[in-house]
């Protein structure tokens, strides 16, 4: 327990692979001597259906000092890292209640672990990756396939030594957790750590290294800044090239092309994105057939990239995917509802907002029934319907929906989650349409500093919101300035 965070240690991390009776006796003894204490937050314990414990601060420091003096701190950290990897085996939104309890302890393990001692070249690799973000060139260490061999230090990093591997795996999973939580900066940091460790220990052509490379591309694309998107494109091209060695139909090659296609879409390079999406769809159709979920996902990705080039074809693809999923999965399956959401967005894009609103109302009702109000896709459906109502001029209904989705996002996601900030900005734009400048100014006055903190000052969304704020400020000033000519009349000449 002393290698984890001392606050809120879940019981499932303590009794891993140990007889439950022995664990109960040990925990009872530790509590009797007040070395640990059970959490008083009963609500949290009931929701997770397990107990959590706090370790006394002095006990925590004393145990760490004793383990370090006995040369047992690193082995215990490695053991705890392996246990954490097994506990974070499934990272999805549906399992958030579970992995959110483990996340502080996983980050504590990774922060305390001395990976630098295991990998002497890691710091150099980290600097090289950082530098490459700002230059349109291949990262220097990746130019050699034998990088790991040329930088090998006996006793530090080999395939037989699982220490670096378990740290890299945990970094990878923690990145997935932070990505789902909307904390893109931390998600990117952990993805980079996993990529660097795997590159150093396994080489650039290993499956795990390429998988981490793809994850870094996805995190940079999610971040959405200009430099991040350019860096992701450079790294994405490397991932496509490296994974091609496993074959054109290898899952990593297809996954890397999808990640690069998504990046090109964000950079508005739609033709390049469509070409990649077509290749992925061709491979999936050939490998799995037209009735496979992976083929439907590829069709949906192709429709998304084609929306700006050939809207009619994109609409047909979205319609086809929705019909096939409804037939094979059922009309209320989450994937079917996601397809209908994409179809409604496409109708809205081509100007048929009446049809879009009808589909969005039906999808929102089904989402609330199937996944609940606080699921991200339910909140996204609600926000999309509010945007459509704004376009149709139904401002009162749109305002009500935006306020409702904001409450849900602040509770279910976080006050500074990117989706929450987007909903706040959309509400501010609605106020601007109604010329409610003071209310819009108050909204953007909160959104802009939060966007700078969460996304960065040069992020496109931050810049757009800052411009909106300046417009609102100017309009508020103009509305208070008295007219020099009463009633706007034109004075007669003398």
């Amino acid at each position: 327990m002393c290698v984890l965070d001392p606050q809120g240690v879940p019981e499932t991390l303590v009794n891993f692979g140990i007889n439950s009776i022995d664990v109960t006796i040990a925990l009872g003894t530790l509590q009797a001597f007040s070395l640990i204490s059970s959490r008083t937050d009963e609500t949290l314990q009931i929701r997770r259906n397990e107990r959590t414990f706090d370790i006394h601060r002095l006990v925590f420091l004393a145990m760490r000092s004793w383990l370090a003096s006995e040369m047992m701190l690193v082995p215990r950290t490695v053991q705890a890292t392996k246990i954490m990897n097994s506990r974070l085996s499934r990272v999805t939104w549906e399992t958030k209640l579970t992995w959110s309890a483990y996340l502080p302890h996983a980050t504590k393990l990774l922060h305390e672990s001395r990976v630098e001692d295991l990998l002497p070249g890691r710091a150099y690799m980290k600097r090289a990756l950082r530098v490459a973000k700002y230059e349109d060139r291949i990262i220097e260490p990746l130019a050699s396939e034998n990088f790991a061999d040329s930088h090998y230090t006996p006793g530090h990093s080999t395939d037989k030594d699982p220490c670096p591997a378990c740290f890299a795996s945990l970094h990878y999973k923690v990145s997935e957790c932070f990505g789902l939580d909307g904390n893109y900066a931390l998600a990117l940091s952990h993805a980079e750590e996993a990529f660097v460790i795997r590159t150093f220990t396994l080489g650039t052509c290993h499956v795990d290294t390429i998988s981490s490379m793809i994850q870094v591309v996805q995190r940079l694309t999610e971040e959405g800044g200009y430099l991040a998107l350019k860096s992701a494109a450079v790294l994405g091209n490397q991932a496509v090239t490296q994974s091609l060695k496993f074959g054109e139909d290898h899952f990593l090659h297809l996954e890397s092309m999808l990640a690069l296609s998504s990046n090109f879409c964000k950079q508005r390079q739609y033709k390049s994105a469509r070409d990649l999406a077509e290749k992925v769809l061709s491979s999936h159709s050939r490998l799995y057939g037209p009735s496979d979920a992976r083929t439907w996902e590829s069709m949906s990705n192709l429709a998304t990239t084609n929306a700006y080039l050939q809207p009619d074809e994109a609409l047909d693809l979205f319609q086809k995917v929705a019909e096939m999923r409804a037939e094979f999965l059922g009309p209320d399956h989450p994937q079917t509802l996601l397809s209908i959401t994409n179809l409604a967005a496409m109708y809205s894009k081509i100007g048929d907002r009446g049809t879009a609103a009808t589909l969005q109302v039906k999808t929102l009702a089904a989402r609330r029934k199937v996944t609940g109000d606080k699921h991200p896709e339910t909140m996204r459906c609600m926000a999309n319907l509010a945007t459509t109502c704004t376009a149709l001029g139904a401002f009162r209904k749109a305002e009500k929906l935006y306020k409702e989705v904001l409450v849900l996002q602040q509770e279910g996601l976080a006050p500074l989650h990117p989706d929450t900030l987007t909903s706040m900005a959309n509400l501010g734009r609605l106020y601007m349409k109604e010329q409610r400048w003071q209310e819009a100014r108050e909204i953007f006055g909160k959104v802009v500093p939060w966007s700078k903190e969460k996304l960065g000052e040069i992020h496109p969304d931050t810049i757009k919101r800052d411009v909106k704020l300046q417009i609102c400020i100017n309009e508020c000033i103009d509305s208070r300035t008295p007219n020099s000519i009463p009633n706007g009349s034109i004075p007669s000449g003398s």
Side-chain angles (χ1 to χ4, degrees):
M1 294 174 72
C2 62
V3 296
L4 306 173
D5 191 285
Q7 304 296 317
V9 181
E11 189 173 6
T12 49
L13 288 180
V14 180
N15 63 4
F16 186 85
I18 307 175
N19 186 285
S20 58
I21 297 178
D22 294 338
V23 171
T24 302
I25 295 174
L27 291 176
T29 304
L30 292 173
Q31 285 184 274
F33 285 96
S34 298
L35 301 179
I36 65 173
S37 59
S38 181
R39 274 274 180 169
T40 57
D41 188 353
E42 297 294 336
T43 303
L44 187 62
Q45 292 182 24
I46 292 171
R47 286 172 60 196
R48 286 210 307 263
N49 197 27
E50 66 171 327
R51 292 185 298 170
T52 56
F53 300 95
D54 295 339
I55 308 173
H56 193 283
R57 185 64 180 170
L58 291 178
V59 176
F60 177 79
L61 294 174
M63 284 301 301
R64 287 187 63 86
S65 177
W66 180 79
L67 286 175
S69 65
E70 296 293 322
M71 305 296 290
M72 296 171 61
L73 186 58
V74 171
R76 288 290 183 268
T77 302
V78 172
Q79 183 183 10
T81 303
K82 292 177 181 178
I83 294 173
M84 190 66 69
N85 270 314
S86 65
R87 289 303 186 193
L88 292 177
S89 58
R90 185 168 175 263
V91 179
T92 64
W93 177 262
E94 286 72 22
T95 60
K96 182 180 178 181
L97 199 59
T98 301
W99 57 254
S100 61
Y102 299 144
L103 192 56
H105 306 288
T107 53
K108 176 75 173 178
L109 279 171
L110 294 173
H111 178 71
E112 294 293 334
S113 59
R114 300 293 182 180
V115 183
E116 291 87 348
D117 296 339
L118 298 171
L119 307 174
R122 170 187 165 279
Y124 165 70
M125 279 286 296
K126 188 74 172 176
R127 287 196 300 272
L129 182 59
R130 291 288 185 187
V131 170
K133 281 188 177 184
Y134 303 96
E135 298 181 16
D136 190 13
R137 63 177 178 82
I138 295 178
I139 301 174
E140 292 295 345
L142 300 185
S144 171
E145 297 181 9
N146 299 319
F147 178 80
D149 295 335
S150 61
H151 290 75
Y152 168 70
T153 304
H156 285 285
S157 58
T158 67
D159 286 338
K160 296 180 181 179
D161 182 8
C163 295
C166 69
F167 288 131
S169 179
L170 188 55
H171 274 299
Y172 187 95
K173 293 175 181 178
V174 168
S175 176
E176 293 293 321
C177 294
F178 280 123
L180 284 175
D181 227 11
N183 198 330
Y184 299 142
L186 284 176
L188 174 60
S189 176
H190 285 282
E192 287 177 345
E193 289 285 354
F195 174 47
V196 167
I197 294 172
R198 285 173 170 174
T199 300
F200 186 85
T201 57
L202 304 175
T204 59
C205 296
H206 195 275
V207 172
D208 289 343
T209 306
I210 297 174
S211 180
S212 284
M213 195 185 303
I214 294 170
Q215 189 187 53
V216 173
V217 173
Q218 293 169 339
R219 296 292 169 258
L220 287 168
T221 302
E222 286 172 348
E223 189 177 318
Y226 174 78
L227 292 175
L229 291 175
K230 289 295 184 183
S231 302
V234 175
L235 200 58
N237 278 306
Q238 290 185 52
V240 171
T241 303
Q242 297 283 9
S243 59
L244 185 59
K245 297 175 182 179
F246 299 113
E248 292 184 353
D249 294 333
H250 193 273
F251 76 96
L252 273 182
H253 184 59
L254 300 178
E255 189 177 341
S256 62
M257 286 197 292
L258 280 177
L260 186 57
S261 175
S262 177
N263 175 267
F264 284 151
C265 266
K266 278 214 170 183
Q267 295 191 69
R268 300 186 179 182
Q269 300 177 21
Y270 299 118
K271 190 177 183 305
S272 300
R274 182 185 62 183
D275 293 342
L276 288 171
E278 285 177 344
K279 291 179 181 179
V280 175
L281 176 58
S282 176
S283 294
H284 280 165
S285 299
R286 185 174 63 255
L287 291 172
Y288 310 116
S291 301
D292 189 84
R294 286 161 288 195
T295 305
W296 300 336
E297 186 69 25
S298 300
M299 290 174 65
S300 183
N301 289 330
L302 177 58
T304 301
T305 58
N306 219 13
Y308 294 92
L309 300 173
Q310 297 171 312
D312 292 336
E313 290 188 13
L315 185 66
D316 291 340
L317 276 174
F318 279 130
Q319 183 75 52
K320 186 176 180 181
V321 173
E323 291 173 353
M324 295 181 72
R325 281 177 169 165
E327 178 183 353
F328 286 93
L329 303 177
D332 291 336
H333 191 278
Q335 290 298 314
T336 304
L337 297 178
L338 179 61
S339 297
I340 299 174
T341 300
N342 293 335
L343 179 62
M346 195 63 222
Y347 272 118
S348 182
K349 191 182 294 292
I350 64 176
D352 190 354
R353 294 188 176 88
T355 304
T358 302
L359 289 172
Q360 286 166 346
V361 168
K362 293 180 180 179
T363 307
L364 178 57
R367 274 284 180 190
R368 281 175 159 163
K369 179 182 177 181
V370 175
T371 56
D373 283 346
K374 293 185 179 180
H375 193 278
E377 289 301 328
T378 306
M379 292 183 272
R380 195 166 292 123
C381 286
M382 199 179 300
N384 291 342
L385 179 57
T387 303
T388 303
C389 289
T390 303
L392 291 171
F395 295 148
R396 297 281 74 77
K397 185 175 182 179
E399 182 179 356
K400 181 181 177 182
L401 284 168
Y402 276 135
K403 288 182 176 179
E404 185 179 354
V405 76
L406 269 174
V407 172
L408 292 172
Q409 287 174 333
Q410 288 170 349
E411 293 177 358
L413 299 177
L416 298 186
H417 192 280
D419 288 352
T420 308
L421 298 179
T422 299
S423 295
M424 290 183 68
N426 288 337
L427 180 59
R429 293 189 186 97
L430 173 62
Y431 288 152
M432 291 177 70
K433 283 181 177 288
E434 297 181 283
Q435 296 187 358
R436 296 160 63 180
W437 301 112
Q438 187 59 40
E439 292 170 274
R441 178 181 178 177
E442 291 175 2
I443 291 287
F444 283 110
K446 296 177 181 178
V447 171
V448 170
W450 288 345
S451 298
K452 289 179 179 179
E453 175 186 345
K454 193 72 176 180
L455 305 176
E457 295 189 1
I458 61 173
H459 192 278
D461 289 344
T462 305
I463 295 172
K464 291 176 185 177
R465 292 162 188 171
D466 199 10
V467 171
K468 298 288 185 184
L469 175 60
Q470 298 306 317
I471 293 173
C472 293
I473 292 173
N474 292 336
E475 289 291 342
C476 289
I477 294 174
D478 292 344
S479 65
R480 295 172 187 168
T481 304
N483 294 327
S484 58
I485 303 174
N487 301 321
S489 58
I490 300 176
S492 59
S494 56

